[in-house]
């Protein structure tokens, strides 16, 4: 059974930094992308950053230059380094891993970790 466990969230002042981690356990066939999403109260969940199996990355415009996604394949862990945090970054952050094939895709989610940025 696949399980994703996030950690590293918390309360930080504006301008501060946090590093989120997502540890995956279980067997995920053909991992294609690892990503971080976030959801603020009353808003839709949005993609923050993603990294492909080929190490290509993409970021939502509002975090470019401030956030960095990385992965440690040996540990099956994906990270999100968040610098220069702003109050608008406040949200629950979710780890996501997609695998499988085009005809039989799989997707897994973590339970979320809260990030609160005070002004």
């Amino acid at each position: 059974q696949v399980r994703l466990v996030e950690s590293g969230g918390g309360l930080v002042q504006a301008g501060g930094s946090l590093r989120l981690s997502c540890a995956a356990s279980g067997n995920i066939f053909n991992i294609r992308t690892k990503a971080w999403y976030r959801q603020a109260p009353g808003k839709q969940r949005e993609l923050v950053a993603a990294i492909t199996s080929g190490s290509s990355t993409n970021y939502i415009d509002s975090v470019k230059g401030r956030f960095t996604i990385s992965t440690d394949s040996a540990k099956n862990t994906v990270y999100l380094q968040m610098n220069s945090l702003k109050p608008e970054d406040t949200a629950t952050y979710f780890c996501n891993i997609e695998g499988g094939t085009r005809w039989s895709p799989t997707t897994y989610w973590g339970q979320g970790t809260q990030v609160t940025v005070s002004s």
Side-chain angles (χ1 to χ4, degrees):
Q1 184 175 352
V2 173
R3 187 177 180 211
L4 306 185
V5 179
E6 300 107 330
S7 61
L11 173 64
V12 64
Q13 288 189 332
S17 297
L18 285 173
R19 189 193 195 205
L20 305 183
S21 299
C22 172
S25 60
N27 183 36
I28 303 176
F29 171 70
N30 191 34
I31 293 176
R32 295 180 288 120
T33 60
K34 299 176 181 178
W36 287 95
Y37 287 73
R38 69 186 179 188
Q39 187 168 19
K43 295 188 177 181
Q44 289 190 332
R45 189 172 297 189
E46 63 179 358
L47 176 64
V48 176
I51 184 167
T52 69
S53 57
S55 298
S56 296
T57 58
N58 67 282
Y59 299 89
I60 191 173
D61 284 347
S62 60
V63 308
K64 285 180 180 177
R66 300 189 297 122
F67 290 12
T68 303
I69 189 170
S70 62
T71 185
D72 183 336
S73 297
K75 295 181 180 179
N76 223 8
T77 301
V78 57
Y79 305 97
L80 186 67
Q81 178 66 45
M82 306 186 294
N83 299 328
S84 303
L85 282 161
K86 304 176 181 180
E88 50 264 42
D89 295 317
T90 295
T92 301
Y93 285 70
F94 298 89
C95 175
N96 170 266
I97 294 180
E98 294 188 349
T101 66
R102 180 189 305 176
W103 302 273
S104 183
T106 59
T107 186
Y108 303 96
W109 292 92
Q111 81 287 350
T113 186
Q114 178 66 38
V115 171
T116 303
V117 184
S118 63
S119 57

